Amino acid sequence: MTAQDELRPTLTTEAGAPVADNQNSETAGPGGPLLIQDQQLFEKLAHFNRERIPERVVHARGAGAYGTFTVTADVSRWTRAKFLSEVGKQTETFLRFSTVAGNLGAADAVRDPRGFALKFYTEDGNYDLVGNNTPVFFIKDASKFPDFIHTQKRDPYTGSQEADNVFDFWGLSPESTHQVTWLFGDRGIPASYRHMHGFGSHTYQWQNESGEAFWVKYHFKTDQGIKNLTAQEAAVLAGSDPDSHQRDLREAIERGDFPSWTAYVQIMPVAEAATYRFNPFDLTKVWSHADYPLIQIGKLELNRNPENIFAEVEQSVFSPAHFVPGIGPSPDKMLQGRLFAYADAHRYRVGINADQLPVNRPHATEARANHRDGGLYDGRHGRAKNYEPNSFNGPVQTGRPLWSAIDVSGLTGTHEAPLHAEDNDFVQAGDLYRLMSQEEQERLVANLADALAGVSADREDIVQRAIENFRRADADYGKRLEEAVSERRG
């Protein structure tokens, strides 16, 4: 050991015992077999075998950063949430970006929705807003989510993502037409995580101090401006730098170029939901900005990188069921399913005590639940009683619900969502297409035609079914797509 080494900390085992030799395993003589008594060797190998937790089934590939959310407008007339209670109030946040379909080793620059999962470390506990970079999604009922994701993942026979599966499902699920138009348009491949919008996507409930309820949608508009990649640019970037988005985010924060988003909401009085022209709880639909204008409420800035990707990004968990007083769910069927599925996925993937990890635990308050034991439990509750009620000064309920009750009626059973005056699966997709410039429409059609050309030659029915859905959204849209696909398929 050199004099310089004496000033360095001592390498130890997990139990804290000093390690004498980390270069050579213990053997029976210089050339003999290994000894089972070598604690350092077996601890290292056993830990290495278990270093990877199961990757997320969806949103596996991601990057994250810490930041702050600053309130810029008085919203107390709509919500009693404390972290939104006064102009200038700041709340620490953690934001995880992700792609949806790719696995942990996939490239960033691909055509795929981007996850936008935001954790607010509020004084009333953590509030998780789990959204995407699109305001809509492919399906409207959580029961279809496993089916949809199976079409995006590897085929059980070929081991690859198959255009047959993707377009077969989309063609048979016409409610996907709106989101597919988003996905294959210019914004389908963001240039970076910094250059895209974020959306809560679902409808949520806000409740004010008087108990009055409102429906709300969240929008986070990038202050860096929208920048996208063409399919050709993305193919080159994905091959040359598969970590492009993660690298861009980290390096921007390192150089002090902190990315930011301006936060807006749309507010709908509860009484207006029943007669709104679109079902306000349908995840495949947007609320018209003409009907419910954007209201600016805050500024989100990312200003600190994680120190350890595994501990803080891979082990971060988000659940739409993590609400705070003044904010709650809506009858959105996709949201209702996610209230269960996300937390359940994390219990399986990370462990029953995942919420006790530093990135997940509340920062401004202490969690005082009666949960004990299980994997990762650190004994933080000591000898405190783990039941309620108790007479040992244990935590007690408030008696005040976090959000307003939702009025329900009718018989239990499986029901299709009620149709509103202008509800169908194609009108908003057509509106989106007609909002695009001629050049944007051309790129959208080309992107879709390239993808549809990958469908098996003997499954022309899948191609025609898909084209028909786009034709129902807009006749010109379908006509141009049919011509482009015909060109590519000869």
Side-chain angles (χ1 to χ4, degrees):
M1 178 180 287
T2 67
Q4 186 175 3
D5 287 340
E6 290 181 354
L7 299 176
R8 298 173 62 180
T10 298
L11 180 67
T12 74
T13 66
E14 291 284 358
V19 173
D21 189 340
N22 194 45
Q23 319 309 317
N24 304 288
S25 301
E26 288 189 42
T27 59
L34 301 181
L35 298 179
I36 200 169
Q37 70 183 33
D38 189 344
Q39 161 70 7
Q40 173 69 350
L41 170 66
F42 286 99
E43 181 179 276
K44 287 177 71 176
L45 292 180
H47 192 281
F48 179 77
N49 286 344
R50 296 162 175 80
E51 280 182 358
R52 299 280 73 83
I53 58 177
E55 70 173 42
R56 291 166 166 88
V57 178
V58 288
H59 297 278
R61 173 68 176 170
Y66 295 93
T68 55
F69 180 82
T70 305
V71 178
T72 59
D74 180 8
V75 296
S76 59
R77 78 189 88 166
W78 299 303
T79 180
R80 61 186 175 95
K82 288 182 184 176
F83 78 100
L84 299 173
S85 61
E86 58 184 277
V87 174
K89 188 177 179 65
Q90 286 195 334
T91 299
E92 186 182 3
T93 62
F94 183 77
L95 176 56
R96 184 178 186 271
F97 303 98
S98 57
T99 53
V100 175
N103 58 26
L104 193 56
D108 289 335
V110 294
R111 188 175 301 281
D112 202 13
R114 299 300 190 275
F116 194 92
L118 183 57
K119 187 181 296 291
F120 298 86
Y121 300 101
T122 88
E123 60 266 61
D124 275 331
N126 292 348
Y127 172 44
D128 290 350
L129 183 60
V130 186
N132 283 327
N133 70 327
T134 59
V136 294
F137 198 59
F138 300 93
I139 52 176
K140 62 181 75 173
D141 192 306
S143 69
K144 298 307 300 174
F145 189 74
D147 298 302
F148 164 63
I149 293 300
H150 289 166
T151 74
Q152 306 298 300
K153 293 290 187 177
R154 299 181 185 277
D155 181 85
Y157 173 66
T158 68
S160 302
Q161 187 187 62
E162 295 295 338
D164 288 18
N165 304 344
V166 171
F167 282 99
D168 187 38
F169 181 85
W170 285 345
L172 293 167
S173 306
E175 70 265 28
S176 67
T177 307
H178 191 187
Q179 172 73 327
V180 174
T181 301
W182 272 91
L183 180 60
F184 283 85
D186 284 356
R187 298 190 183 188
I189 314 179
S192 79
Y193 290 133
R194 296 182 299 126
H195 293 95
M196 66 182 197
H197 294 333
F199 299 89
S201 302
H202 296 288
T203 298
Y204 293 92
Q205 186 200 96
W206 274 8
Q207 182 203 56
N208 64 21
E209 197 62 48
S210 301
E212 187 179 9
F214 303 86
W215 300 125
V216 60
K217 280 186 177 289
Y218 297 94
H219 302 251
F220 293 83
K221 303 288 189 180
T222 175
D223 295 327
Q224 289 70 236
I226 292 286
K227 289 185 182 178
N228 306 300
L229 300 172
T230 65
Q232 294 73 28
E233 291 169 337
V236 172
L237 183 58
S240 63
D241 184 8
D243 302 325
S244 58
H245 287 31
Q246 178 172 298
R247 187 190 317 282
D248 175 86
L249 179 65
R250 185 188 71 247
E251 291 180 350
I253 293 174
E254 284 176 346
R255 66 176 178 263
D257 183 10
F258 300 144
S260 65
W261 289 258
T262 302
Y264 301 84
V265 291
Q266 290 177 284
I267 300 288
M268 177 186 291
V270 165
E272 296 181 13
T275 56
Y276 186 51
R277 54 200 178 106
F278 304 111
N279 182 349
F281 311 116
D282 181 345
L283 186 56
T284 67
K285 304 291 196 304
V286 296
W287 299 356
S288 167
H289 290 190
D291 298 334
Y292 298 99
L294 294 180
I295 302 167
Q296 183 179 332
I297 65 166
K299 183 76 72 173
L300 172 67
E301 178 187 85
L302 299 182
N303 48 37
R304 179 165 66 91
N305 283 317
E307 292 297 315
N308 185 282
I309 296 296
F310 180 80
E312 299 167 79
V313 179
E314 289 313 303
Q315 291 195 135
S316 64
V317 300
F318 300 82
S319 171
H322 288 171
F323 293 113
V324 293
I327 302 177
S330 77
D332 177 339
K333 285 187 173 184
M334 276 295 294
L335 174 59
Q336 290 285 321
R338 295 175 82 198
L339 297 179
F340 161 76
Y342 273 58
D344 187 58
H346 302 320
R347 293 184 191 105
Y348 161 73
R349 192 180 67 85
V350 183
I352 192 65
N353 290 306
D355 286 322
Q356 293 184 14
L357 295 170
V359 69
N360 299 322
R361 72 174 64 134
H363 288 189
T365 186
E366 179 188 354
R368 292 182 292 271
N370 286 324
H371 308 311
R372 302 288 190 273
D373 307 338
L376 298 179
Y377 181 59
D378 60 7
R380 70 183 54 201
H381 303 90
R383 64 178 64 184
K385 307 298 184 185
N386 62 340
Y387 60 90
E388 192 280 329
N390 72 53
S391 60
F392 293 86
N393 200 34
V396 295
Q397 63 194 34
T398 66
R400 185 179 187 186
L402 273 62
W403 58 81
S404 294
I406 298 173
D407 186 38
V408 296
S409 64
L411 301 175
T412 60
T414 56
H415 304 284
E416 291 187 14
L419 289 178
H420 288 228
E422 297 182 31
D423 268 344
N424 68 51
D425 294 324
F426 309 105
V427 62
Q428 291 196 355
D431 290 343
L432 179 59
Y433 174 80
R434 290 183 289 275
L435 279 174
M436 296 179 181
S437 67
Q438 182 73 17
E439 293 77 15
E440 288 174 322
Q441 290 177 353
E442 289 172 0
R443 290 191 291 269
L444 165 66
V445 168
N447 291 334
L448 271 169
D450 288 343
L452 274 166
V455 173
S456 298
D458 61 347
R459 291 308 308 265
E460 187 64 22
D461 60 310
I462 292 176
V463 175
Q464 290 305 315
R465 190 184 304 118
I467 291 172
E468 181 58 28
N469 283 344
F470 296 113
R471 182 180 287 112
R472 292 178 69 181
D474 183 277
D476 178 67
Y477 189 3
K479 177 176 177 290
R480 290 166 65 177
L481 180 57
E482 186 169 39
E483 291 170 351
V485 172
S486 180
E487 252 180 49
R488 286 160 174 77
R489 289 170 72 88

